[in-house]
Amino acid sequence: SAQAPGGTPAGRFAVMRPQRRAPRLGRRRNGSVMRIIGLAGWSGSGKTTLLTKVIPQLTARGKRVSTLKHAHHAFDIDRPGKDSFQHRAAGATEVLVVSANRWALMHELRGVPEPDFRALLRKLSDVDLVIVEGFKRESFPKIEVYRADNGKPLLQPEDHWIVAVAADTPLPQAPVPVVDLNDIAAIADLLLAK
């Protein structure tokens, strides 16, 4: 059978050591491979704000980008009173809502453990880059988002998967590349290069 980078069967995801490029995650329909890179950082460091600034930069470069976000709390994208909410409340395992602009699949776990990281990645459509927020214990390259005002230490010394830092202050002691947190073009370059 066909082999993906890392020697795993095509369609599977290989755990790879830190390197200059994000791990390649299984074959896409056109024969190329998706890559992932994460944004890591303490709460309040600006990971989501950075994502909302860097995604337009990446799409302007012709890249198709998806994101995967882990929530540590209960969340709901639906609203009481909507038909889809009532379907779920009645016990439907999945509700697929479709319009001319988008579709959303809501899957109720109903006591089943949440899917693992690789299973979630397999649910995403073919894109050039998947940017992950959360899943900090998973093994894949990450860029740390660091703000000195948070008063927290760098994560990088404890996480060897952090390959660069986007910071609001110089960090001459960092053993990985450091870019200005406000230099969105440079951060986009890092996301595509790592």
Side-chain angles (χ1 to χ4, degrees), residues 5 11 15 32 36 45-46 67 76 91 101 131 170 177 184 191:
V15 173
S32 63
I36 65 165
S45 63
T67 63
D76 205 332
N101 296 322
I131 305 174
I184 304 304
L191 289 169

Side-chain angles (χ1 to χ4, degrees), residues 148-165:
D149 288 347
N150 266 1
K152 303 276 190 179
L154 280 168
L155 298 172
Q156 185 279 325
E158 303 300 319
D159 185 347
H160 69 275
W161 288 98
I162 293 175
V163 296
V165 179

Side-chain angles (χ1 to χ4, degrees), residues 17-33:
R17 299 190 197 296
Q19 53 190 350
R20 290 194 131 325
R21 299 187 69 79
R24 296 171 184 240
L25 296 174
R27 296 261 169 228
R28 297 184 337 197
R29 286 182 194 91
N30 67 4
S32 63
V33 289

Side-chain angles (χ1 to χ4, degrees), residues 13-181:
F13 301 97
V15 173
M16 302 174 87
R17 299 190 197 296
Q19 53 190 350
R20 290 194 131 325
R21 299 187 69 79
R24 296 171 184 240
L25 296 174
R27 296 261 169 228
R28 297 184 337 197
R29 286 182 194 91
N30 67 4
S32 63
V33 289
M34 286 196 314
R35 298 182 306 129
I36 65 165
I37 190 157
L39 292 183
W42 296 100
S43 179
S45 63
K47 297 180 297 292
T48 300
T49 300
L50 178 58
L51 266 176
T52 63
K53 292 178 180 179
V54 78
I55 291 172
Q57 177 83 218
L58 295 166
T59 59
R61 297 179 187 193
K63 301 301 180 185
R64 292 181 319 127
V65 179
S66 288
T67 63
L68 174 56
K69 162 94 172 125
H70 189 269
H72 292 285
H73 47 79
F75 73 94
D76 205 332
I77 62 171
D78 212 356
R79 292 181 296 187
K82 293 296 184 183
D83 293 349
S84 52
F85 187 92
Q86 291 178 27
H87 297 179
R88 290 174 37 231
T93 299
E94 291 186 329
V95 176
L96 181 60
V97 182
V98 182
S99 76
N101 296 322
R102 70 187 52 88
W103 62 269
L105 176 63
M106 294 171 277
H107 181 96
E108 294 295 315
L109 293 176
R110 304 203 189 281
V112 175
E114 82 180 47
D116 69 25
F117 181 64
R118 287 176 179 9
L120 293 168
L121 289 170
R122 286 191 294 271
K123 293 182 182 302
L124 294 173
S125 297
D126 293 345
V127 294
D128 300 305
L129 181 65
V130 177
I131 305 174
V132 179
E133 185 179 341
F135 297 95
K136 64 182 173 188
R137 293 192 181 4
E138 296 293 333
S139 301
F140 61 93
K142 303 170 189 96
I143 295 175
E144 180 172 356
V145 179
Y146 178 79
R147 286 193 187 277
D149 288 347
N150 266 1
K152 303 276 190 179
L154 280 168
L155 298 172
Q156 185 279 325
E158 303 300 319
D159 185 347
H160 69 275
W161 288 98
I162 293 175
V163 296
V165 179
D168 63 351
T169 187
L171 298 170
Q173 77 281 14
V176 296
V178 177
V179 297
D180 185 330
L181 185 54

